[in-house]
Amino acid sequence: MLFQVIAMSVITLLLFFLLLTRKPGRINLLLGACTTVCGIASMVLFILFQRSNGNPDAGRELIQLYLPCGLYVAVSAWGAIEALRSRKKLLRDKAARQAAKEKAAREKAAPTKTEPPQ
């Protein structure tokens, strides 16, 4: 069980660091979603590991359970926020491309005015 917790935590951290190095876009959207899912899965595995080993020591729950779970939640929340930010940017870019395409079509279809010869 310890190996699974460590492996999932390392995967989560690698995804998180990749997420920090990318600009908003499709890859960042995918990395954000994966980071969120892996962060939550890591936290669940960590809690199951703690419970199977007899829970944290009495009086030390903050350091042994709540702080690590808080870090997992923070990484997951960051991933979700980045995924939403990337999705918003992709939708905004798509709307801008559509508006430019419609503008070009209107300009092409509009009759050109020519002055009569004098």
Side-chain angles (χ1 to χ4, degrees), residues 37-49:
V37 170
C38 286
I40 292 171
S42 297
M43 182 178 68
V44 168
L45 284 173
F46 178 75
I47 290 171
L48 290 174
F49 178 72

Side-chain angles (χ1 to χ4, degrees), residues 93-107:
D93 289 350
K94 183 179 179 181
R97 280 193 309 270
Q98 183 67 27
K101 187 177 180 181
E102 289 173 2
K103 182 180 177 184
R106 272 186 270 128
E107 288 176 355

Side-chain angles (χ1 to χ4, degrees), residues 1-2 4-6 8-9 12 35-53 55 65 68-73 76:
M1 183 79 157
L2 179 62
Q4 287 90 356
V5 173
I6 292 172
M8 195 60 139
S9 297
T12 302
T35 302
T36 301
V37 170
C38 286
I40 292 171
S42 297
M43 182 178 68
V44 168
L45 284 173
F46 178 75
I47 290 171
L48 290 174
F49 178 72
Q50 280 284 15
R51 299 285 182 215
S52 70
N53 287 331
N55 293 330
L65 182 66
C69 287
L71 291 174
Y72 286 126
V73 168
S76 297

